[in-house]
Amino acid sequence: MPLPTASAALRITLQLCLLLLVRCQEGPWNTVLTYNVGLPGKTGLTPFYEERRAPLLNLINAGDSPFADADVVCLQEVIKQEDRVDVLARAKEAGFAYGFAGTLEDGEQGGPACNDSLLQAAVCLNTSCPSATSVLEALPCILGECKLAVSRLSQPCHNCLAQQEDGLEAAVIACRVAPAKNYSSSLGLMLLSRREILHEQLVPFGADADPFRRGYIRADVQQVGTVFCTHAYPNFEELPMFKNDYEMMNRKQMMALVDAASGHNSIIAGDMNCGPANSLAKPPVMPLFPASYEYAGSQGFTSPYADGDNSQCTFCADNSINLAAATVLNRTGMDSTILDHIFINPQVFKVDATQTKRVFADSTVRINGGLTVPLSDHYGIQVRVASSASPLWSASALLWSLAAVASLAQLAC
């Protein structure tokens, strides 16, 4: 039998090199959890903050809660610094050795946050809602008799008012002096992990007219991949202090997020404030900003929970916190929607469907008056994933193969 030519030998060697260079190994299984805990402080729009705070924190290191099964957790709306400190402490006790509470620096602008328009709005609020001590309590007046006066306030003025916790009178005084600035917490994004976080950063989406500056945490997590944790722009249709095109802002942020995650072994988790319809769910799930959700799909990402056969709402009309908020907002009710997602690329990750589910729907607390409410206005989502077979390169095999290829290339010439 004749010996192979030098060029044929080169081809055979290259094929052998590929076999030596690549060893396929499936990644470990990891449970990823996302939960909007709705802890905005006393000035926020989510009611019962003080009653819900302690039970929510207790969940983190409770042995029978979904936190106990999670390897990576993305939290949203841990707004106050003292709450973020407490979350990190509880997480460490629960075995989350790594945590990141991303904050954006306050961007100061010249001059006071509010001008004389605030005085006119304050007169209206003091007349119409004299007993109100917070933005939440003043909402009926903000949406009613004082809507025009409030709508005339500048965005920096709203930014300042949103941070005040000492009552409306003190807020008026403070914001006539304080420089314009944005909320520093980027909606209280937090990432907790049992796996080592190799690198983390908070990336702002860019300037918009939202008092709560938004962005996302990007973290390289060992044995998991690149994890993105975010809270995208919501629908503030009733509130005069928010003046953007809500759907456009949400889509811009989702596009920026998905584009940043493309090309990596990425997991995107958080409250996306967009989602598909599911008429078979109980209650039926209505779509919100579906173009944003569909953009993620067009780029190869899927939301295993939302796309599953048994998906239910994560922001639900029958959640008693949302019923209370609807009353304050003068709504007849809220739509039930799937706003919370964990996006993965099915070409990169496989999913354990039995461990893909809604969580915290049964976690409640009894408040004054005997009313039992969930611990947040959202429920959480849990997805168990493992990376598909991926190449692991042998450095010694690589050096040997390159030397062999170089020698045979000389023969072929």
Side-chain angles (χ1 to χ4, degrees):
M1 184 177 68
L3 294 173
T5 65
S7 59
L10 176 60
R11 287 195 300 272
I12 294 170
T13 302
L14 287 173
Q15 292 171 349
L16 290 172
C17 288
L18 290 176
L19 292 174
L20 287 169
L21 288 172
V22 180
R23 292 185 293 116
C24 290
Q25 177 173 308
E26 184 180 277
W29 286 97
N30 290 286
T31 299
V32 182
L33 173 68
T34 182
Y35 191 22
N36 183 332
V37 295
L39 290 178
K42 293 184 290 185
T43 63
L45 301 180
T46 308
F48 315 124
Y49 162 77
E50 293 179 324
E51 295 88 345
R52 295 183 295 106
R53 180 185 185 276
L56 270 168
L57 292 174
N58 290 338
L59 279 178
I60 297 172
N61 56 349
D64 58 351
S65 92
F67 281 94
D69 299 323
D71 298 290
V72 178
V73 178
C74 168
L75 299 178
Q76 308 91 53
E77 288 196 22
V78 192
I79 299 295
K80 298 180 67 176
Q81 175 64 18
E82 62 190 76
D83 290 344
R84 294 196 291 273
V85 170
D86 286 347
V87 166
L88 289 174
R90 296 293 187 102
K92 189 172 183 179
E93 291 176 4
F96 293 96
Y98 304 92
F100 179 64
T103 61
L104 294 171
E105 296 298 325
D106 291 339
E108 294 195 3
Q109 305 168 21
C114 301
N115 57 26
D116 290 343
S117 297
L118 178 58
L119 300 179
Q120 300 169 17
V123 169
C124 181
L125 291 172
N126 285 332
T127 302
S128 304
C129 289
S131 61
T133 60
S134 69
V135 173
L136 185 62
E137 292 178 7
L139 266 183
C141 297
I142 292 174
L143 301 176
E145 302 94 320
C146 304
K147 185 172 184 176
L148 179 60
V150 171
S151 67
R152 289 172 175 162
L153 301 179
S154 68
Q155 197 65 53
C157 186
H158 288 299
N159 297 352
C160 182
L161 292 171
Q163 300 179 79
Q164 308 305 315
E165 292 196 349
D166 296 327
L168 291 176
E169 183 177 350
V172 169
I173 296 171
C175 292
R176 287 282 291 150
V177 177
K181 59 183 179 179
N182 289 315
Y183 225 3
S184 63
S185 67
S186 189
L187 283 191
L189 295 176
M190 299 189 69
L191 189 69
L192 312 175
S193 178
R194 299 184 193 278
R195 310 282 192 185
E196 183 179 0
I197 297 178
L198 303 174
H199 176 262
E200 73 282 334
Q201 65 180 134
L202 183 64
V203 182
F205 281 126
D208 58 43
D210 182 357
F212 310 102
R213 292 176 68 191
R214 294 172 194 270
Y216 56 86
I217 293 173
R218 172 179 172 155
D220 296 322
V221 183
Q222 195 171 52
Q223 296 185 302
V224 179
T226 303
V227 178
F228 293 77
C229 173
T230 195
H231 189 175
Y233 204 87
N235 185 6
F236 282 135
E237 60 185 356
E238 294 96 345
L239 302 181
M241 62 279 280
F242 303 110
K243 302 165 185 168
N244 279 325
D245 180 330
Y246 315 108
E247 185 167 10
M248 178 194 72
M249 290 303 303
N250 180 274
R251 188 171 187 199
K252 284 174 61 177
Q253 293 179 354
M254 285 297 296
M255 290 177 68
L257 179 68
V258 170
D259 290 350
S262 296
H264 306 277
N265 290 0
S266 298
I267 298 172
I268 309 173
D271 176 0
M272 312 299 177
N273 274 306
C274 65
N278 182 358
S279 60
L280 300 179
K282 295 181 181 179
V285 169
M286 303 299 292
L288 181 66
F289 302 157
S292 296
Y293 182 79
E294 290 161 6
Y295 182 78
S298 73
Q299 301 304 303
F301 288 92
T302 183
S303 174
Y305 175 77
D307 295 339
D309 295 334
N310 300 313
S311 61
Q312 302 291 326
C313 55
T314 62
F315 185 87
C316 303
D318 57 2
N319 182 316
S320 49
I321 294 179
N322 294 330
L323 291 173
T327 300
V328 172
L329 292 169
N330 292 327
R331 288 186 181 181
T332 56
M334 298 272 196
D335 286 339
S336 292
T337 48
I338 300 176
L339 305 183
D340 305 270
H341 301 280
I342 296 170
F343 285 108
I344 57 102
N345 185 332
Q347 300 300 316
V348 177
F349 293 96
K350 62 181 185 177
V351 175
D352 181 354
T354 65
Q355 295 300 313
T356 296
K357 56 189 176 182
R358 185 176 72 171
V359 291
F360 303 120
D362 298 324
S363 300
T364 60
V365 61
R366 186 177 296 275
I367 63 173
N368 293 337
L371 177 66
T372 298
V373 302
L375 295 187
S376 177
D377 53 339
H378 289 247
Y379 301 129
I381 293 298
Q382 168 188 301
V383 176
R384 186 166 173 78
V385 298
S387 60
S388 302
S390 59
L392 293 177
W393 302 93
S394 165
S396 58
L398 177 60
L399 292 173
W400 179 90
S401 301
L402 289 175
V405 169
S407 299
L408 284 171
Q410 290 177 346
L411 287 175
C413 295

